[in-house]
Amino acid sequence: MSSRPARRPRRLWALWAALLALFSPLLLTPASAPAAPDMTATAQADPVPGMFNPRQTWLRDSTAGLFLHWGMYTQPEHYDCDSWQKAVNDSGWNPDYWVKETQKIHGSYIVLATFHSRLGYARPWPSKIPGSCSTKRDILGELIKAAKAEGIKVILYMTDDPQWHDVMGPESFDSAAYSAYKGKDVDLTTRPGFGEFSYDNFFEVMHNYPDLKGFWIDNDNEYWEQHHLYEQIREQRPDMLLSNNNEDTPIMDTVSNEQKTGMTPDYDMPAAYWTSMPRLTESCYKVPSSGAWWYDGQDRPVDTALNIRRYVANAGTSYKSLMDLQAQVDGTFPPQQQAFTDYMSKYLDPIWESLHSVEGGGYLYGGLRPGAWNDGAYGYTTVAKEDPTRQYIHVTTRPTGGDSGTLVVRDNGTKVKRISDLRTGERIAFDQHDGTVTLKGITTWDPYDTVFKVETVRHRQGLYPSDTVRATATSSKDGHPATNLTDGDLTRYWDANGQVPVSVTLDLGAVKKARYLAVNQTEWSPTYNRESFGRKEDSARIKDYKVFVSDDGEHWGDPVRTGVMESARSTRYVDLDTTARYIRLEVDSTWSAATVVPYYHQLRIDEIAVGHSYPVGHGRG
């Protein structure tokens, strides 16, 4: 999808957080400033009240969108705008088709990538700005109108890069015409020249299409930044969303993480991502298993299982699935992609409540812990926004060893009242004790995503209130003190300031029972090892650790627990079953390799909770 052979360094979540204050007039509503949430609840509807601009609401409420790469070089290629437009018209292109296909995947929006470097820099709208292909037919306007009629939003893709201007042989740009229009010499094949040309197009489209909902931008162009493009969009069209591909730029509403491969399991794309809730984040990925992001003349195969599970994985981590399908010149999809959207239109309906108006479970919003479960099982959890007592377990890989009819999930302090199969309504028997919920007697497994509806008690149980635990550390970075570990707010973190080994000491105020530590590490780095791809481990998470306890803070003795913490997202547990006033977590190493400088020894933890007991219960099938 990206037009560049190599990217500039990513602007990570840390930069966004550090510059939040600078851009607060853009990111905050006038009504209120951020306030700490009550993290004793199972889930939070808004972890930082007032942080998100209302223009983001519709996308935050979305689950998926349709990504369309479609232009002059869609097979069969066309080398001038008139011939491409004639082919589009003669083939019977109709925007209603794209709208209906979006509805089949339960999408809320369409991102149209036509002004794309590898597709001829075609502009599917009548333009007064010369310089590249511009259609006489208002294709963009027709799409916006058709989508609006069905409650679907349209976002326009804009590229930053002119380097592919002659990739197909003929020159895509008319620098002479643009120079005459500007009254000065401008070379569109250079980054500054193309930056100026595309800059003008931003304003033309912004002013001509009041119902266009935003721009999806592939990286940045220096000309845009120097001329304050984004700030002007904010001023002139405050309703518009701005999204950037693979860069977490503070002024953007959204960061979009591009398709990754090589995970285990293969559909766990969030393991490769470096942004997470509460940041508004997309996962953009190709639905066909091979080929370009655009239609290349072939009917590429579609892995139905992989794509459904990616969809579920994204919902289970609060990402929006931006699904790329390759539109042909007439706008329709090749047969195998068409079969997939037809299948999705039927598959999603019975489980839609578990994928829509939910947040990913196991981290910021509470909920049962996702990830690797018993006997090879794997999956995700979701929590209903409007009713956090309603949760869902998505089993994307069923257990195969041991008792294949049993599923064991860490409860994350959530007391369960009832479990049922979402599709059939059948009651599922369960036992809950020692920090886990065991679902029993499961006889029916969906081939892609078995979904269990879980009814729970509202508040987490068995945790000492955060305001009764005091945290200190042997090293802390300015602005990110150890007190953030027990302030009840998972949006603030402790930073070890690059020091590993490092230790954190928790003071319970008196000698008390301590059954476990629940550690929420900051979700700002990937978790999967890419060594097989020639890149060392990126994860900035805890690896080797020890736990010591003391009644007086002076005499510690031998460690009561040593171990290796998984490089995995969501809450990690250290079970203790001891009594003490002081608990010391010593981190001896992290997963990131020394060669991965941005993450090496850069430990960040949002919250550490101390549990004194586990929820207990059972239910009959």
Side-chain angles (χ1 to χ4, degrees):
M1 173 187 51
S2 172
S3 58
R4 289 192 186 181
R7 296 188 181 280
R8 285 175 281 165
R10 298 167 175 169
R11 295 178 179 134
L12 298 174
W13 165 270
L15 174 61
W16 181 81
L19 295 179
L20 181 61
L22 177 62
F23 291 102
S24 59
L26 306 172
L27 296 172
L28 304 181
T29 58
S32 61
D38 173 16
M39 298 309 295
T40 60
T42 302
Q44 320 302 321
D46 184 355
V48 186
M51 179 177 177
F52 308 121
N53 194 287
R55 67 173 167 265
Q56 301 174 1
T57 300
W58 71 264
L59 186 54
R60 289 188 176 275
D61 290 342
S62 300
T63 301
L66 182 61
F67 205 5
L68 297 172
H69 290 69
W70 181 76
M72 281 206 307
Y73 296 158
T74 296
Q75 289 284 337
E77 299 100 337
H78 296 83
Y79 303 107
D80 65 85
C81 223
D82 288 342
S83 64
W84 177 55
Q85 178 174 270
K86 184 178 187 304
V88 171
N89 289 337
D90 291 350
S91 66
W93 177 84
N94 189 318
D96 292 335
Y97 173 86
W98 284 348
V99 173
K100 291 176 182 177
E101 294 303 301
T102 304
Q103 292 172 321
K104 288 180 182 178
I105 62 170
H106 286 235
S108 301
Y109 63 110
I110 297 169
V111 177
L112 179 60
T114 299
F115 188 60
H116 187 285
S117 54
R118 299 298 296 271
L119 289 171
Y121 301 93
R123 294 173 292 165
W125 66 87
S127 177
K128 295 181 179 179
I129 305 167
S132 75
C133 166
S134 173
T135 60
K136 296 179 179 65
R137 180 178 180 179
D138 191 0
I139 294 171
L140 176 62
E142 291 180 38
L143 176 60
I144 292 172
K145 182 179 179 181
K148 182 180 179 181
E150 297 297 330
I152 291 172
K153 317 297 184 184
V154 175
I155 294 175
L156 184 64
Y157 172 104
M158 299 291 276
T159 184
D160 74 309
D161 192 356
Q163 70 170 308
W164 304 103
H165 60 94
D166 58 356
V167 65
M168 301 302 290
E171 175 60 57
S172 295
F173 296 141
D174 188 342
S175 295
Y178 183 69
S179 296
Y181 169 79
K182 297 291 287 190
K184 61 179 182 179
D185 288 337
V186 181
D187 184 354
L188 297 186
T189 68
T190 66
R191 288 192 64 81
F194 180 76
E196 185 172 356
F197 171 63
S198 52
Y199 175 92
D200 290 346
N201 278 273
F202 273 102
F203 287 96
E204 180 179 66
V205 171
M206 182 170 58
H207 293 151
N208 290 348
Y209 300 98
D211 290 322
L212 182 68
K213 285 303 177 183
F215 294 111
W216 200 101
I217 301 166
D218 207 344
N219 300 299
D220 282 316
N221 184 286
E222 294 81 357
Y223 185 94
W224 304 344
E225 295 172 324
Q226 293 163 2
H227 291 79
H228 309 290
L229 171 64
Y230 306 137
E231 290 81 359
Q232 292 186 73
I233 293 173
R234 286 280 174 260
E235 180 180 349
Q236 297 183 31
R237 285 289 304 274
D239 62 305
M240 272 190 156
L241 283 170
L242 291 175
S243 178
N244 202 297
N245 179 35
N246 276 359
E247 291 186 355
D248 198 353
T249 310
I251 199 170
M252 297 291 168
D253 293 286
T254 310
V255 58
S256 191
N257 290 266
E258 202 170 303
Q259 177 182 18
K260 309 297 180 190
T261 58
M263 280 69 66
T264 302
D266 57 357
Y267 54 81
D268 187 26
M269 291 176 62
Y273 299 158
W274 38 270
T275 50
S276 65
M277 57 189 89
R279 189 65 159 125
L280 181 52
T281 310
E282 289 177 318
S283 162
C284 57
Y285 57 97
K286 294 185 294 184
V287 168
S289 301
S290 60
W293 287 83
W294 47 88
Y295 179 64
D296 59 8
Q298 297 189 45
D299 182 17
R300 301 282 184 175
V302 174
D303 186 334
T304 299
L306 175 64
N307 281 286
I308 288 177
R309 289 164 175 162
R310 280 178 167 173
Y311 194 102
V312 173
N314 288 323
T317 40
S318 295
Y319 289 93
K320 311 307 173 185
S321 284
L322 182 55
M323 307 170 70
D324 182 76
L325 291 113
Q326 279 84 74
Q328 301 172 99
V329 171
D330 65 357
T332 63
F333 301 138
Q336 294 186 73
Q337 295 179 53
Q338 184 68 70
F340 172 74
T341 61
D342 291 344
Y343 183 80
M344 285 287 279
S345 68
K346 300 178 179 65
Y347 183 84
L348 292 175
D349 283 345
I351 59 172
W352 186 235
E353 69 177 70
S354 69
L355 297 167
H356 182 62
S357 293
V358 297
E359 295 286 3
Y363 174 56
L364 183 63
Y365 298 93
L368 302 164
R369 192 176 80 176
W373 295 320
N374 63 295
D375 300 314
Y378 202 93
Y380 306 86
T381 64
T382 53
V383 181
K385 291 181 180 179
E386 69 274 17
D387 180 8
T389 66
R390 192 174 78 247
Q391 301 184 30
Y392 303 89
I393 299 173
H394 295 263
V395 186
T396 42
T397 298
R398 58 169 290 184
T400 54
D403 183 354
S404 60
T406 298
L407 183 72
V408 182
V409 179
R410 189 86 196 206
D411 64 31
N412 205 11
T414 301
K415 181 174 174 57
V416 174
K417 297 193 300 184
R418 176 186 170 121
I419 301 177
S420 58
D421 185 305
L422 181 59
R423 288 184 174 86
T424 66
E426 178 186 359
R427 289 280 296 270
I428 302 297
F430 71 90
D431 283 325
Q432 182 174 16
H433 58 83
D434 295 330
T436 63
V437 179
T438 301
L439 288 69
K440 302 184 297 183
I442 304 169
T443 57
T444 303
W445 297 95
D446 184 81
Y448 308 127
D449 179 27
T450 305
V451 187
F452 299 104
K453 184 175 182 177
V454 184
E455 299 170 46
T456 73
V457 172
R458 177 170 293 272
H459 296 285
R460 297 172 68 187
Q461 296 187 357
L463 298 173
Y464 290 114
S466 59
D467 60 3
T468 67
V469 181
R470 187 171 67 91
T472 57
T474 55
S475 176
S476 298
K477 188 174 185 177
D478 289 347
H480 302 283
T483 52
N484 286 352
L485 291 167
T486 56
D487 66 354
D489 183 355
L490 276 80
T491 66
R492 293 194 289 260
Y493 61 88
W494 163 71
D495 190 311
N497 199 29
Q499 298 299 308
V500 176
V502 67
S503 64
V504 171
T505 299
L506 305 172
D507 180 0
L508 303 181
V511 175
K512 297 179 181 179
K513 185 72 174 177
R515 297 293 300 272
Y516 63 89
L517 300 180
V519 182
N520 282 103
Q521 299 178 80
T522 305
E523 303 288 339
W524 71 292
S525 68
T527 60
Y528 83 111
N529 191 326
R530 288 184 278 184
E531 190 162 0
S532 60
F533 291 84
R535 180 166 178 172
K536 296 291 186 181
E537 177 66 67
D538 280 358
S539 176
R541 289 165 174 79
I542 297 169
K543 187 177 182 183
D544 296 291
Y545 69 88
K546 300 183 184 75
V547 178
F548 301 84
V549 296
S550 171
D551 290 345
D552 58 11
E554 296 182 4
H555 302 88
W556 294 91
D558 296 330
V560 296
R561 179 73 184 269
T562 63
V564 175
M565 195 171 289
E566 313 98 310
S567 174
R569 308 191 88 163
S570 79
T571 310
R572 299 294 104 188
Y573 287 88
V574 180
D575 291 304
L576 299 174
D577 197 15
T578 188
T579 57
R581 172 174 176 173
Y582 298 94
I583 304 170
R584 176 171 293 167
L585 173 63
E586 177 184 296
V587 179
D588 295 321
S589 67
T590 56
W591 282 97
S592 182
T595 53
V596 187
V597 176
Y599 298 124
Y600 183 59
H601 284 180
Q602 299 303 311
L603 178 63
R604 299 173 183 177
I605 301 177
D606 296 332
E607 202 80 5
I608 300 180
V610 182
H612 55 75
S613 60
Y614 298 111
V616 176
H618 69 277
R620 296 181 179 178

